[in-house]
Structures are given as C-alpha cells and as structure tokens.
Amino acid sequence: MESINASIDIDKRLWREDIAGSRAHAAMLAEAKIITRQDATAITKGLDQIAEEIERGEFQFSRALEDIHMNIEARLKALIGEAAGRLHTARSRNDQVATDFRLWCRRACDEAEAALRALMAALAAKAETHADAVMPGFTHLQTAQPVTIGHHFLAYVEMFSRDAGRFADARARMNECPLGAAALAGTPFPIDRSLTAEALGFDRPCANSLDAVSSRDFALELLSAASITAVHLSRLAEEIVLWTSPQFGFAALSDAFSTGSSIMPQKRNPDAAELVRAKTGRINGSLNSLLNVMKALPLAYAKDLQEDKAATFEAVDALALALAAMTGMVGDIAVNREAMKEAAARGFSTATDLADWLVRALAMPFRDAHHVTGRIVAIAEQKNARLDELPLEALQAVEPRITQDVFSVLSVDASVASRKAYGGTAPDNVKREARRWVSALAREK
C-alpha cells in the first residue's frame, strides 16, 4: 500500500509551490482571526526554515508520509510544535495539491513561452542574415518553387509564435485559485479566498469548490500546447537532419551539436536534432496519458489524480530540453548557399514563373499556360537542361509568341525577387519581416 500510495518521489518538486501556498493560507487565517498572529508568525518562520533546508539538500523526504504536503507539515510540527497543526484549518490536501499544481503549471507556461521567444529570436536573426539565400521550396518533398531559407526560417517563427500564444492562453485560463475549496464542498470558516488568490498571483478564486479540486484541464491545456510545440520542433528537427545529410548538403552543424561514429570516422551525426524529433513522442504520450487518467472520473477528487504530475513533469522537462537544444542548433547551423541555390535551379522550379509570364505577357488563360509550360518542361527533361538554358527557338517551337523577355523570369533569383506580395519570399520582404521580429522580440525581453 505504501508503494502504490506514496507520491513523494514525484511531487517533492512542488515544495516551492506548497510552501508559498501555506504562507498565503496562514496569513489569510490570521487576517480572518481564525488563528492568532503569533501562530501565523511561527508558521511562516518554520516554513522559511524548511525552504532553506530543502534548498541546501538537508531535508529528509519520507515515503511513509506519502506526499510533499505531509512531509512539510510533519517537519513544521517538529520545528514549531502545536501551531503547525493549525495551518491545515479550512483547507484539505485536495485544494492544497490543486493549488500547488496550478502554480507549477503556471510557471511552466511562463518558462515555455520565454524559451519559445529565445528560439524565435534565433530563427529571426538567422532569417535576416540569409534573407536572400535561395533554396528549393518543396511540396511532397519534391522541388516546387524557389524560396529563400530566410523565408523558411520565418515560417517557423510564425509557428512558434502561435505556440507561445497557446501557453499564454493556457496560463490565463488556469490562473484561478483553488485554495479554500477544501475537500470538495468549501469550508464553514470565515475565510477570505480573494486574499489568498491575490497573495499567490491568481486573478480570482475558483468559483466552484467541486470544480476547483477535481479539474485538471489546466494541465491538459499545458500538455496540449507542449504537444503542438513539440510537433513543430520535430518538423524543424527533421529538416535539419535532411539539410545536413550529404544528399542535401544545404547546411552543417558544428561538433557542438553533432556527434561522431564509434567506427566511422567521417560521420557527423545530427544527434541533437534526432533526439528533439524523438521527444515529440514522449510529450504527446504524456498528453494522452493524462487524458486517459481524466476520462470517466466522477466528481470530485479521486486518487487517480495523483497520476497527473508524473506525466506533466516529464513532458515539460522534455520540452524545455528540446527548446534549448533547438535554439542552440539554430544559432550554430552553417548554411551552404551555393549548394542550396544549385538545388533550387534543378527540378524546373521556375516552371510556375514561366506559366505566369505566359499569362501576363500573352494574355493566355492560366490553364492553357499550364499546358504549354508542361510541354516545355518535357523538352527540358529530354535535353537534361534547366528552363533558363533552353534556346529561345525551343520555347517558340511550343508557343511562337514567346519572346526573349521570358528569360527575365526563368532564373531562381528572378523567381524569388518577383514574390513581392505580402507574405511572399522576396528577399526585401524577408529582411523587413525578420527585422520586425528581431525588434519585437528584443522589446519583449
């Protein structure tokens, strides 16, 4: 029973939140004249000493005392005697743990958002540096149209910006205080729940005592935001794995973010990117785990809820490590402009530019232009040539009205430069947007 019931090995990391909640509760009890000022002062001094003992690594956690709450309460009693027993007036472990966990999840949201901002700043800085570096843009992992790698990096800035917003939204919704809901029904003591909520930085007390102690949707939202972020990290990690392979050769990681092989001395493996990619499964698994814990739980508290913290802690730890590693990799990665531009020129990536020129210059319906372009691409394939390497006569054999002016749009540089519409890959657009992000993120620090 002790083995299955004890949670101290997991929830001891809530000690800061538990002590903060107890300080606020003791101050409120004294303010409401439920306990004396002398007892509140003794409780606060005892809690301060316990915090110092834990910080120094001197505190002895006991599995026999089950959880962080009882461990701290037992030590408090040993330090200050009878007054310690008055701390638990008008509260239960149910509202206590719900408060501790919300405080921890709130801090996790803040830390994840800050880590995302750091990653976005690294990406935006890289985008500004490489605003004009042409690379192949892909659909279906097939060469589609030329883009710049700066534009590519900014795509991830947008994704991670939305992720940061999700953490901020989750934080706003979870910022209600369960303390004072007691076991499930509230308390007959004349407590001031607004006082404790304010002391702990919450916007307000939870309005329903049953909901306060039994809901964990705040943790589910945190894990949902973490999972979506992890998916975005995994996508970028996969691209780094591809780009740094000899088959692509678009980029390289230094020894700081790659490893060698035990038997193949030529290898430089993108292990950090691969591990970021793998951690997505662990983070998504934590979300699924908590969803399954919560399903079909009747109100109010049940011991099943003890399983909420292990999954959440693991996911948040994995996400923090993945964000830090990705930020480091983005700063470290060296871009091979020549290899990217050469690859962008292959695969007839300017075929759409040819079709667009036929529409603009010859007033040709786009579907007809698409057909003509397809025939020209077939000729280029037969000749093993790029579109801009075909002689004008070959183009005119398909469409006699084509003029020399068509070659102004067939290079990859001309293609990306033409994409000037808002959100497009034109280097001027990319540089302007990258600078906007760099400036905005610097202001948010």
Side-chain angles (χ1 to χ4, degrees):
M1 183 60 189
E2 180 180 295
S3 294
I4 197 170
N5 197 48
S7 62
I8 187 61
D9 294 339
I10 301 296
D11 63 29
K12 63 184 178 184
R13 69 189 292 175
L14 293 175
W15 68 267
R16 291 180 181 85
E17 290 76 18
D18 197 72
I19 288 174
S22 290
R23 285 192 187 112
H25 188 65
M28 181 276 295
L29 291 176
E31 187 68 25
K33 297 183 170 49
I34 297 170
I35 65 173
T36 65
R37 294 282 182 187
Q38 292 82 357
D39 281 347
T41 299
I43 288 168
T44 300
K45 287 182 178 179
L47 291 170
D48 290 345
Q49 181 174 335
I50 292 169
E52 291 172 4
E53 291 175 358
I54 298 175
E55 288 277 14
R56 294 195 299 263
E58 298 171 358
F59 190 90
Q60 297 298 312
F61 293 100
S62 169
R63 296 189 81 227
L65 292 170
E66 294 185 24
D67 56 31
I68 187 62
H69 323 298
M70 296 306 295
N71 269 263
I72 289 176
E73 186 173 321
R75 178 60 179 151
L76 186 63
K77 184 176 182 181
L79 289 172
I80 68 171
E82 186 178 85
R86 298 192 174 94
L87 174 60
H88 208 55
T89 307
R91 77 174 183 185
S92 159
R93 275 193 292 180
N94 293 355
D95 62 336
Q96 189 177 358
V97 68
T99 302
D100 293 358
F101 197 28
R102 280 189 191 236
L103 287 169
W104 190 93
C105 288
R106 189 178 72 183
R107 179 161 54 88
C109 286
D110 291 340
E111 291 172 354
E113 190 176 352
L116 279 163
R117 300 288 180 199
L119 174 54
M120 291 163 61
L123 284 162
K126 213 74 170 181
E128 184 178 3
T129 301
H130 297 293
D132 60 346
V134 178
M135 69 175 290
F138 299 99
T139 61
H140 309 279
L141 206 56
Q142 305 294 312
T143 300
Q145 292 176 319
V147 296
T148 69
I149 197 167
H151 195 55
H152 201 105
F153 284 136
L154 287 179
Y156 282 101
V157 174
E158 294 292 334
M159 292 183 214
F160 292 130
S161 174
R162 293 192 296 273
D163 291 329
R166 274 182 276 271
F167 283 108
D169 290 345
R171 187 199 195 281
R173 265 184 294 279
M174 71 175 64
N175 205 33
E176 296 182 346
C177 186
L179 199 59
L184 75 161
T187 176
F189 290 95
I191 62 173
D192 185 345
R193 293 189 61 208
S194 294
L195 193 64
T196 48
E198 182 179 356
L200 293 169
F202 288 106
D203 293 332
R204 65 192 69 84
C206 295
N208 183 284
S209 59
L210 288 167
D211 177 58
V213 300
S214 66
S215 292
R216 294 295 184 270
D217 52 1
F218 62 90
L220 288 170
E221 272 203 88
L222 168 60
L223 291 177
S224 296
S227 294
I228 297 171
T229 302
V231 168
H232 291 155
L233 286 168
S234 182
R235 296 181 73 182
L236 180 53
E238 169 70 4
E239 296 200 298
I240 291 174
V241 170
L242 291 173
W243 293 347
T244 56
S245 69
Q247 289 73 20
F248 275 71
F250 290 178
L253 291 169
S254 74
D255 290 344
F257 285 93
S258 59
T259 65
S261 164
S262 61
I263 64 170
M264 293 170 284
Q266 84 282 9
K267 296 291 290 299
R268 181 175 281 174
N269 300 322
D271 285 5
E274 291 169 356
L275 288 165
V276 167
R277 186 175 60 186
K279 287 188 182 296
T280 305
R282 297 172 70 89
I283 296 167
N284 291 353
S286 292
L287 171 59
N288 197 47
S289 174
L290 186 53
L291 284 168
N292 280 308
V293 167
M294 294 306 299
K295 72 170 186 62
L297 274 189
L299 295 178
Y301 183 84
K303 196 71 169 181
D304 308 52
L305 293 174
Q306 185 167 289
E307 292 297 308
D308 57 0
K309 286 169 283 297
T312 306
F313 293 163
E314 181 179 19
V316 169
D317 289 347
L319 181 67
L321 184 56
L323 284 167
M326 185 57 75
T327 303
M329 278 187 286
V330 168
D332 180 79
I333 199 165
V335 170
N336 186 335
R337 286 171 167 251
E338 293 75 19
M340 291 192 308
K341 189 169 184 178
E342 182 184 344
R346 297 194 300 266
F348 314 109
S349 63
T350 58
T352 305
D353 297 274
L354 172 56
D356 289 343
W357 183 90
L358 293 170
V359 171
R360 290 195 309 271
L362 306 182
M364 187 179 291
F366 183 81
R367 285 303 173 198
D368 293 345
H370 185 281
H371 178 68
V372 168
T373 301
R375 291 173 61 192
I376 292 172
V377 167
I379 292 171
E381 282 183 316
Q382 291 171 2
K383 294 180 178 295
N384 194 28
R386 300 194 310 263
L387 292 177
D388 60 348
E389 293 174 333
L390 289 175
L392 179 60
E393 294 76 18
L395 303 178
Q396 289 175 333
V398 178
E399 172 48 66
R401 293 179 293 164
I402 294 177
T403 66
Q404 188 69 30
D405 181 62
V406 73
F407 291 100
S408 68
V409 303
L410 293 184
S411 72
V412 293
D413 287 324
S415 176
V416 297
S418 71
R419 310 291 167 173
K420 296 177 181 178
Y422 179 75
T425 192
D428 287 346
N429 283 14
V430 174
K431 190 170 287 290
R432 183 170 56 251
E433 191 68 5
R435 286 173 176 169
R436 183 184 71 80
W437 273 114
V438 168
S439 176
L441 291 163
R443 288 196 302 271
E444 290 175 2
K445 283 185 179 179

